[in-house]
Amino acid sequence: MQLTVWTYEGPPHVGAMRVATAMTDVHYVLHAPQGDTYADLLFTMIERREKRPPVTYTTFKARDLGSDTAALFKSTLESAHERFKPAAMLVGASCTGELIQDDPAGLAKAANLPCPVIPLELPSYQRKENWGAGETFYQIVRHLAALEEDQPVAEKPQGRAPRCNILGATALGFRHRDDVMEITKLLKENGIEVSVVAPLGASAADIARLPDADFNVLLYPEIGEQAARWLKRTHGQDYTTTVPIGVGATREFVAEVRRLAGLDALPDRSDAGRLPWFSRSVDSTYLTGKRVFVFGDATHAVAAARVATEEFGFELVGLGTYSREQARAVREAAAAHGLTALITDDYLDVEQAIAEAEPELVLGTQMERHIAKRLGIGCAVISAPVHVQDYPARYSPQMGFEGANVLWDSWVHPLVMGLEEHLLGMFREDFEFSDTAKPSHLGPGERVSEAPAAEPALRPLAEEGPIRIWSADAEAELKKIPFFVRGKARKNTERFAAERGLAEITLETLYDAKAHFAR
Amino acid sequence: MSVHTLPLPKAGCAEPDIIRERGQHEVFCGLTGIVWLHRKIQDAFFLVVGSRTCAHLLQSAAGVMIFAEPRFGTAVMEERDLAGMADANEELDKVVARLLDRRPDIKMLFLVGSCPSEVIKLDLSRAAERLSRHYSPEVRVLNYTGSGIETTFTEGEDRCLAALVPELPDATSEAPELLVVGALADVVEDQFARLFAEIGIERVRFLPPRNSRELPAVGPNTRFLLAQPFLGETARCLTERGARHIPAPFPLGAEGTTAWLGAAARAFGADPMAFRHATAAAEARAKRALQPFRDEMAGKTIFFMPDSQLEVPLARMLSRELGMEPIEVGTPYLHRAHLAEELKLLGSDVQLSEGQDVERQLDRVRASRPDVTVCGLGLANPLEADGLTTKWSIELIFTPIQGYDQASDLAGLFARPFDRKTRLRV
């Protein structure tokens, strides 16, 4: 048993719901007790969907157990088919349904419905949401895009424009709506048609058309990779391996799709949105070497680490993911930055790692937003799980060149503006630039001096070393250092004093340490 | 559809024709009660023994509370826990040891059963006894079920309070004592405490208490008043301890609050003049505050989808005090005895429904096109997209709505969706 307060991912059947809800004419019958319908509100509230997810729950209760839950499943399946008349159905069990072992697959077969019924085996006690979404999409593709016997693979007719599918976007995906639009536009600019986007917006018939395309664009490996591999094996379609987040990755992605489409390589284009110029403009100089901690799903975390270092000029001080299935990619990326990846789904581990790394900016999920708030650090969201404000009304992709513009604005915003940072150093004793004033771009108001001490955490943070005694004037001098580097200065000075066996930290010690650690 | 008839209530009110349905229920399970119970009992921790789904539900229902070091968590069962029983108990002991070690402020620990823990027959009551022996006197460990197979939404509170009843000390005094049962917002509880004092009922305690060390006593001299309609099991357990129930409608609206306080006043033989003196001004104030809402809401039709068991008292308040017209009042469970006073006031011509087949019920909603539909968050936006006005029901649990000074807030919850409709021009 694992003690859990916050979970980065839901159970695997929620992943299956994300795929079913993304599609247009598929219905999911879920063997589940009363109460599991809570997941509906993720779609209707957080993503603000105008329709209920296409999911029917058997809603078994205690009195049904030991009697005929199997009959209940069968009658629920039949009446759902009768009412919704879907083109295909998914059947499976939630975590409790799995325990009562009713075999939805066999029961669905016996019901002999006049549409394809796809059974889902989603082990709730080993796997999680993204895996469930990936497995569900794979099963749908495998069932609906299978080769008819003796059907030759269609040759691409002469002169037809190259065609691809876009794989992996789902309901409740972080910015999936706008990423698909942005990448579709980018492909079109390169003379490549998009045949099918799936699962997002696809019908069962669209899934059957997947093999007609020349290759696949895989946007979200967590969800689409298994299906992409099967399509490669079965239908000989290659798929892209670059996730186009950031300017550099987008350029590489364009080169990759042109190669897969059989088009000539483009000369190096400077047309890459505004990020490159914004990043070179002098106001951005202050971003150089800013310490950033990155955590999220594997795809977004690895992409953000690259963008943060190569395109913003930040220093990466932490990289991690909750996606255990993709841990290897994150470990490799972290190693390239001389870091050890943090692979965990326990937010307390993440909180501890952030506190120890002392970053100036955190890029993470909804949970890191709260951790950063507690630690008084700026934060931007780069990955699910996210809350309602990260399903925005305005166009806000993460991918492509417009996505890079969006990243620029949203990552720089939480930092103190360059000029303001300069003024804080210059007039640090001025009452209007004092620590207690909030950064001006965050509106009027007082800065919360100390994060309010919450109730003790379930686990204490790292053991503090021996606290050195600070002389009054050294303590006063420390207060003159801008708040966003003060913690680091305090720690460095104490470490410096400890290494030299000094009992007290004086003004001299403070400046000796500053010289020693000069950044 | 299985229809089983219940014995007729003795109250003698007309037996209305009740729609009883089973099928998909679009409701929360009892675990959701933890979201407000853990704020109420300030030194209690609620440990759900369940699956990732349970943790995910709590996270979805608790919204931002999750970020405030909440006093609840889930011991998520993994595959190896499902292999054998002994192992699961050892694992649970380890989790509890770790938890109590980190949180010395916890004085009461609830082990909360879930669907998965019940299906694998993990005996949490024995686990609670074992752990209680180990950790007493510092920490008391109790157990109840909040599973979806056993409980709907607010029934989780019922099971939790019922688990507290055996822990209550025996009442030693001869004097009669009033026990108000059901978690209320602190501000409401304080208002009621002041009103009871003015009425002349001196000894009043509340269940649940704000602190696990201040459990109210119970015995044959205890008369209890239910502040919430969903407390059938708790009432039964209190009756077994010798306490006697004071039948009353629930304290929603000006009329409901007066009737509720009045039932207690009569049971305690309070001076009627003192009662009028204590309540008249507050009641008049509440009625004045309701008047503008009445002008706006009178004649509007309302459809309740089942959620919390508050539906019948709410329908009574909205129809009698604001002049609204209930089309159908759905409730997950209809406790005939506890709702007897409400049903008398509501009138017998209102269509009641118990349980749910959500698709059929939505057919009825679409056919009757009510002016406002009270429903859960999974249904609200889809119904709005169909052009209907909705009021999402969970807010009726998370907002202080009981008592005189919250009557207009309660009316406001139903009026606001209309207000918004009239403002928007896009």
Side-chain angles (χ1 to χ4, degrees), chain A residues 10 29 94 142 294 423 467:
Chain A
V29 174
S94 77
R142 210 173 60 99
V294 177
L423 293 171
I467 302 295

PDB file of all heavy atoms in Angstrom, chain A residues 10 29 94 142 294 423 467:
ATOM      1  N   GLY A  10      -4.761   9.544 -12.863  1.00  0.00           N
ATOM      2  CA  GLY A  10      -5.899   8.760 -12.413  1.00  0.00           C
ATOM      3  C   GLY A  10      -5.682   7.296 -12.739  1.00  0.00           C
ATOM      4  O   GLY A  10      -4.625   6.908 -13.241  1.00  0.00           O
ATOM      5  N   VAL A  29     -18.762   1.063 -22.156  1.00  0.00           N
ATOM      6  CA  VAL A  29     -19.562   0.538 -21.051  1.00  0.00           C
ATOM      7  C   VAL A  29     -18.608   0.014 -19.986  1.00  0.00           C
ATOM      8  O   VAL A  29     -17.785  -0.868 -20.245  1.00  0.00           O
ATOM      9  CB  VAL A  29     -20.542  -0.564 -21.512  1.00  0.00           C
ATOM     10  CG1 VAL A  29     -21.243  -1.187 -20.307  1.00  0.00           C
ATOM     11  CG2 VAL A  29     -21.572   0.045 -22.459  1.00  0.00           C
ATOM     12  N   SER A  94     -13.746  -0.968 -14.080  1.00  0.00           N
ATOM     13  CA  SER A  94     -12.944  -0.080 -13.251  1.00  0.00           C
ATOM     14  C   SER A  94     -12.249  -0.945 -12.195  1.00  0.00           C
ATOM     15  O   SER A  94     -12.381  -2.169 -12.196  1.00  0.00           O
ATOM     16  CB  SER A  94     -13.834   0.977 -12.588  1.00  0.00           C
ATOM     17  OG  SER A  94     -14.539   0.403 -11.503  1.00  0.00           O
ATOM     18  N   ARG A 142      -6.172  -1.439 -33.469  1.00  0.00           N
ATOM     19  CA  ARG A 142      -5.946  -2.831 -33.846  1.00  0.00           C
ATOM     20  C   ARG A 142      -7.243  -3.489 -34.321  1.00  0.00           C
ATOM     21  O   ARG A 142      -7.251  -4.292 -35.245  1.00  0.00           O
ATOM     22  CB  ARG A 142      -5.404  -3.602 -32.640  1.00  0.00           C
ATOM     23  CG  ARG A 142      -4.499  -4.753 -32.968  1.00  0.00           C
ATOM     24  CD  ARG A 142      -3.909  -5.296 -31.686  1.00  0.00           C
ATOM     25  NE  ARG A 142      -4.973  -5.749 -30.788  1.00  0.00           N
ATOM     26  CZ  ARG A 142      -5.334  -7.016 -30.655  1.00  0.00           C
ATOM     27  NH1 ARG A 142      -4.719  -7.953 -31.348  1.00  0.00           N
ATOM     28  NH2 ARG A 142      -6.291  -7.349 -29.829  1.00  0.00           N
ATOM     29  N   VAL A 294      12.411  21.327 -13.639  1.00  0.00           N
ATOM     30  CA  VAL A 294      11.380  20.872 -14.578  1.00  0.00           C
ATOM     31  C   VAL A 294      10.809  19.524 -14.142  1.00  0.00           C
ATOM     32  O   VAL A 294      11.565  18.580 -13.873  1.00  0.00           O
ATOM     33  CB  VAL A 294      11.969  20.750 -16.011  1.00  0.00           C
ATOM     34  CG1 VAL A 294      10.925  20.196 -16.974  1.00  0.00           C
ATOM     35  CG2 VAL A 294      12.489  22.103 -16.502  1.00  0.00           C
ATOM     36  N   LEU A 423      16.496  47.123 -10.763  1.00  0.00           N
ATOM     37  CA  LEU A 423      16.148  48.175  -9.804  1.00  0.00           C
ATOM     38  C   LEU A 423      16.156  47.645  -8.378  1.00  0.00           C
ATOM     39  O   LEU A 423      16.543  48.329  -7.440  1.00  0.00           O
ATOM     40  CB  LEU A 423      14.774  48.756 -10.134  1.00  0.00           C
ATOM     41  CG  LEU A 423      14.710  49.542 -11.453  1.00  0.00           C
ATOM     42  CD1 LEU A 423      13.278  49.883 -11.788  1.00  0.00           C
ATOM     43  CD2 LEU A 423      15.561  50.800 -11.358  1.00  0.00           C
ATOM     44  N   ILE A 467      22.810  24.929  12.342  1.00  0.00           N
ATOM     45  CA  ILE A 467      22.538  26.347  12.087  1.00  0.00           C
ATOM     46  C   ILE A 467      23.681  27.176  12.669  1.00  0.00           C
ATOM     47  O   ILE A 467      24.036  27.050  13.843  1.00  0.00           O
ATOM     48  CB  ILE A 467      21.200  26.762  12.745  1.00  0.00           C
ATOM     49  CG1 ILE A 467      20.058  25.895  12.216  1.00  0.00           C
ATOM     50  CG2 ILE A 467      20.928  28.243  12.532  1.00  0.00           C
ATOM     51  CD1 ILE A 467      19.760  26.063  10.749  1.00  0.00           C
TER      52      ILE A 467
END
